[in-house]
Amino acid sequence: MDFSLTDEQQLLKNSVSDYLSNRYALDTSRRAARSDAGWQPQVWKSFAEELGILAAPLPEDRGGLGGGAEEVLVISEVLGRHLVVEPFIGTVVLGGGLLRRSSTAVAKDLIGGIAAGDVVTGFAALEPTSGQSFHSVRTTARRDGQHWLLDGEKIVVSDAPIATHLIITARTSGDATDTSGLTLFVVPFDPTGPNSGIEAHHYRTIDDHHASDLVISDLRVPDSARISEVDQAWPLVDVALDEATAATVAEAVGVLRKVLADTVEYTKQRQQFGVAISNFQALQHRMVNMHIEVEQAVAASYLASLNLDSQRRARAVSAAKATIARAARLVGQEAVQLHGGMGMTEELAIGHYFKRLTVIESEFGNRDFHTARYHRARGAEASRRG
């Protein structure tokens, strides 16, 4: 597959890489992730004001730059290489993807806020009984005059501890596992203070990101907080999730490339019996296998991003995510083993990258989930052709 960057995309990649290389130290970002703040808000503002990457994929008529999947791929891969914890995918790709498909006034305002670096979103979708199916929703929304009352539980709401707004899926009709009958709402959120109708439990995940479990009880929101047609949210959610999954695949490519490069360099430096261990044929074979996995991941990432606007979207994204899940496990585990006991220490960068790969392996669905989804999508495509 030929994927050549345009001059503008290469400039974008270079700008983000230079910024992160000079101003985003791994030890500083880890300390920030474990602080009360949980992230570096000044970096987020720099992403908006200096680099413009928060506006890159958002529509121009709402304050964005009108970029597409290729720009998201370029940015996400660089962010992955530098292990950035700030919520680009969760807010710009997923949150922005949901909001830009809404014609409501609140959605338009929030997109402008994302581009300016003032808005961070958390997507409250998964529930204790959902498994990995985002459409399995028991949280309910019932009309109360010109308002809605929401009740339910949400788990592992990524970025909620730093969010300004929550985008919530709620069932307005149908059974708990139906793709129809879902409606989207957006509500302001204060992660540090009390929120009427929302009880939040915040925590840090193993990869130094942040998430929350939420209990929603009689949360009263106006109809203006609804950002989808009643009962018609799933088509919006399905596409936005695929865009976020493709971006996560691109992020994983950045992580994998960094892990492979660091592992090869380490084996050139570490010596046994007076020679670098990179000279041992058995270890060379293992690193060749790592290289093959990384190259397959790169191809899968391109395939997913280039098919986001095609009828093959679901199949391409699931194929890429299943490929990445396999690569994340093999490359991550091999890297740790080739580094020896140091591979799992906090002091060595490889341990942090390994933890991120471990989370990516199951984020937005694990390998089994996407393998099954791939076969369903392939069958659906065959039915359309036949």
Side-chain angles (χ1 to χ4, degrees), residues 345-359:
T345 62
E346 292 289 325
E347 291 75 13
L348 206 63
I350 201 73
H352 298 284
Y353 282 88
F354 173 70
K355 291 174 183 176
R356 180 61 187 143
L357 286 174
T358 301
V359 172

Side-chain angles (χ1 to χ4, degrees), residues 7-217:
D7 292 342
E8 291 79 7
Q9 290 166 350
Q10 188 63 54
L11 179 62
L12 173 63
K13 180 179 181 178
N14 293 342
S15 298
V16 180
S17 296
D18 290 345
Y19 175 93
L20 294 174
S21 295
N22 296 321
R23 298 170 59 181
Y24 199 87
L26 182 62
D27 57 346
T28 302
S29 70
R30 298 310 105 172
R31 285 196 300 271
R34 298 173 187 187
S35 68
D36 291 340
W39 65 320
Q40 300 178 82
Q42 73 279 9
V43 170
W44 188 249
K45 290 296 287 185
S46 293
F47 285 175
E49 296 171 357
E50 296 183 40
L51 295 175
I53 60 174
L54 303 189
L58 301 177
E60 293 180 271
D61 62 351
R62 302 188 190 184
L65 298 178
E70 293 89 349
E71 285 72 25
V72 171
L73 181 148
V74 168
I75 295 168
S76 298
E77 183 176 331
V78 177
L79 297 181
R81 188 174 186 88
H82 292 271
L83 214 62
V84 171
V85 298
E86 280 64 40
F88 176 80
I89 294 176
T91 292
V92 179
V93 182
L94 181 53
L98 293 168
L99 293 168
R100 67 184 173 88
R101 291 180 169 86
S102 173
S103 59
T104 63
V106 65
K108 294 179 181 178
D109 289 342
L110 289 177
I111 285 180
I114 290 174
D118 297 326
V119 170
V120 174
T121 62
F123 184 42
L126 291 178
E127 302 184 354
T129 58
S130 294
Q132 299 182 69
S133 299
F134 282 82
H135 61 78
S136 180
V137 174
R138 295 181 184 274
T139 296
T140 60
R142 63 186 189 278
R143 281 193 181 274
D144 183 23
Q146 295 301 309
H147 290 74
W148 294 84
L149 289 176
L150 277 62
D151 290 277
E153 295 182 55
K154 300 293 185 179
I155 61 171
V156 198
V157 183
S158 296
D159 306 321
I162 59 174
T164 61
H165 292 78
L166 298 177
I167 300 176
I168 303 172
T169 57
R171 184 159 296 284
T172 44
S173 69
D175 295 329
T177 58
D178 290 347
T179 55
S180 60
L182 297 180
T183 305
L184 277 177
F185 299 87
V186 62
V187 298
F189 185 64
D190 180 1
T192 63
N195 294 273
S196 178
I198 302 178
E199 178 184 342
H201 170 62
H202 306 313
Y203 49 88
R204 179 169 58 88
T205 55
I206 64 167
D207 58 343
D208 287 325
H209 288 236
H210 294 79
S212 302
D213 295 339
L214 309 175
V215 177
I216 302 171
S217 303

